[in-house]
């Protein structure tokens, strides 16, 4: 993952998305850490369709 496309169509880098999530600017996600690397993960909400892993990938 190198970036994210937000629901309003705005594209942000991975680092920008993580910083936005940390200050509450992206709803429905949390920042997690694995092997020292931070990434976004979906918060559980009973709807699997909006999980980050189920959303479409974008390419440049």
């Amino acid at each position: 993952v190198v970036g994210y496309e937000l629901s309003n169509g705005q594209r942000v880098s991975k680092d920008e998305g993580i910083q936005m999530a940390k200050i509450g600017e992206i709803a429905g996600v949390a920042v997690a850490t694995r092997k020292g690397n931070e990434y976004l993960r979906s918060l559980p909400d009973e709807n699997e369709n909006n999980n980050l892993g189920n959303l479409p990938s974008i390419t440049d």
Side-chain angles (χ1 to χ4, degrees):
V1 174
V2 296
Y4 303 98
E5 183 172 352
L6 306 179
S7 59
N8 66 3
Q10 177 186 3
R11 291 185 177 189
V12 297
S13 71
K14 179 180 176 182
D15 290 336
E16 289 173 311
I18 289 168
Q19 292 306 314
M20 292 172 75
K22 284 182 177 180
I23 60 174
E25 291 183 349
I26 302 177
V29 298
V31 178
T33 304
R34 177 178 286 162
K35 297 183 182 178
N37 296 311
E38 291 183 311
Y39 63 96
L40 297 183
R41 67 171 185 84
S42 303
L43 293 175
D45 69 355
E46 305 293 324
N47 181 1
E48 290 189 22
N49 293 328
N50 65 3
N51 289 351
L52 293 177
N54 293 336
L55 296 175
S57 296
I58 56 172
T59 58
D60 290 330

